[in-house]
Amino acid sequence: MHTNAKRWLMAALIASFVASYFSARFDQYYLGLAIDVGINVMLAVSLNLINGHTGQFSLGHAGFMAVGGFAAAKLTLLTSDAYFPLGLLLGGAVAALAGLIVGIPSLRLRGDYLAIVTLGFGEIIRVILQNSEFFGAATGLTGIPKLTTLCWTWGSAAIVVYVICSLVNSTYGLGFLCVHDDEVAAAASGINPVRYKVTAFVVGAFFAGVAGALYAHHKRVLQPDSFNFIKSIDIVVMVILGGMGRTTGVIIAAILLTLLPEFLRGFADYRMIIYSLMIIALMILRPQGLFHWTRKNAPNQ
């Protein structure tokens, strides 16, 4: 863990506290948009660990988000608002368990096969929630207390960025990069690719679950259809646009793709077409990502 990273973390946490203190003076629309930005940064950075740094291709990140959101929301509905911090941890833990369950049998696959498995997992989660009376079935959960603040969201996003950057740039994190570059060579050198892929899935799923918990207590209504295939594609687009494995670029892309629909409300029906054309153009013109750049001594930032 580098000193500069710790300084950036402290600065981000202090900024989140200050912004939250003055948030009562902000317009509620822009305040909600700022919270959406923080949640999407968490989702994109956590998926970047799986898709970018480890070289896998997951299409089920919305499923982990749904698991965390419904678990945390149910806890606060059954208990009280005081259990909100515990709900965040519970949402992350349940999502991490789901990541472990789907990771162990499926991460021996790679490429298109892995993408299909994770896509199926996300749809299974959605269908289970739709048919579970405990979680409100198709109607979902309503009346969730609004507990997500700017401080909780931006502070959590800062911690997610710090943890993943520190993990990837650590000695252990070199294993993720080895698996990304060449699984066969990594296995030949004594690295267990499956273990590293499962670790990436569990860590990424944990933070997606926390993001889902914050989302639940921000929107106050959770419906299974909110976490469908399109939601997973939204997160994947952020990672691709920002540059696979480039944390800073992914953060910028998450911010832009959160704000862009607000400026294009009249074209909301064509958003997925725009996203699809954007991916095609990027793969042809700039396959390394729009915000990809190289810095000395920091190849994974």
Side-chain angles (χ1 to χ4, degrees), residues 271-282:
R271 186 180 63 171
M272 290 309 298
I273 297 177
I274 295 173
Y275 280 2
S276 300
L277 292 175
M278 186 183 299
I279 294 176
I280 294 171
L282 278 173

Side-chain angles (χ1 to χ4, degrees), residues 198-276:
V198 170
T199 300
F201 245 75
V202 170
V203 174
F206 176 85
F207 289 131
V210 174
L214 290 169
Y215 177 88
H217 293 86
H218 170 48
K219 299 300 184 182
R220 303 192 64 188
V221 175
L222 276 188
Q223 295 178 327
D225 284 341
S226 301
F227 305 97
N228 56 15
F229 168 69
I230 294 178
K231 181 63 178 178
S232 290
I233 290 296
D234 284 345
I235 307 171
V236 171
V237 169
M238 293 175 189
V239 175
I240 295 176
L241 180 64
M244 302 281 276
R246 304 292 164 173
T247 303
T248 306
V250 168
I251 293 172
I252 297 173
I255 295 172
L256 288 180
L257 291 182
T258 304
L259 300 179
L260 184 61
E262 300 303 319
F263 294 103
L264 298 174
R265 281 183 171 272
F267 302 94
D269 293 339
Y270 304 99
R271 186 180 63 171
M272 290 309 298
I273 297 177
I274 295 173
Y275 280 2
S276 300

Side-chain angles (χ1 to χ4, degrees), residues 112-191:
D112 298 341
Y113 300 102
L114 177 61
I116 293 172
V117 169
T118 54
L119 173 61
F121 163 76
E123 290 301 300
I124 288 171
I125 290 296
R126 185 176 63 84
V127 172
I128 290 175
L129 292 173
Q130 280 183 332
N131 291 277
S132 173
E133 293 295 335
F134 183 73
F135 291 109
T139 305
L141 298 177
T142 59
I144 303 169
K146 188 172 180 60
L147 303 174
T148 299
T149 63
L150 206 59
C151 180
W152 276 110
T153 307
W154 284 12
S156 299
I159 292 173
V160 170
V161 173
Y162 173 74
V163 169
I164 290 183
C165 285
S166 299
L167 176 62
V168 171
N169 289 290
S170 66
T171 303
Y172 182 85
L174 293 176
F176 295 113
L177 305 181
C178 291
V179 172
H180 174 278
D181 292 338
D182 193 324
E183 287 189 31
V184 176
S189 63
I191 294 174

Side-chain angles (χ1 to χ4, degrees), residues 2-134:
H2 305 291
T3 303
N4 288 339
K6 293 181 179 179
R7 289 175 181 173
W8 277 110
L9 173 64
M10 291 303 301
L13 291 176
I14 292 172
S16 67
F17 279 114
V18 173
S20 183
Y21 179 78
F22 292 103
S23 62
R25 305 179 184 179
F26 298 162
D27 183 278
Q28 291 301 305
Y29 169 77
Y30 293 109
L31 179 62
L33 195 58
I35 292 175
D36 288 337
V37 166
I39 292 173
N40 284 337
V41 166
M42 294 176 64
L43 291 169
V45 172
S46 60
L47 180 62
N48 190 42
L49 175 64
I50 302 171
N51 287 19
H53 294 300
T54 316
Q56 309 310 303
F57 195 70
S58 171
L59 288 175
H61 219 54
F64 299 129
M65 182 184 179
V67 170
F70 274 90
K74 196 63 180 180
L75 176 65
T76 52
L77 286 174
L78 292 176
T79 55
S80 68
D81 296 357
Y83 285 86
F84 175 60
L86 181 60
L88 296 181
L89 295 177
L90 176 65
V94 174
L97 178 60
L100 181 64
I101 292 173
V102 71
I104 291 177
S106 65
L107 287 178
R108 298 182 184 276
L109 305 172
R110 65 181 69 176
D112 298 341
Y113 300 102
L114 177 61
I116 293 172
V117 169
T118 54
L119 173 61
F121 163 76
E123 290 301 300
I124 288 171
I125 290 296
R126 185 176 63 84
V127 172
I128 290 175
L129 292 173
Q130 280 183 332
N131 291 277
S132 173
E133 293 295 335
F134 183 73

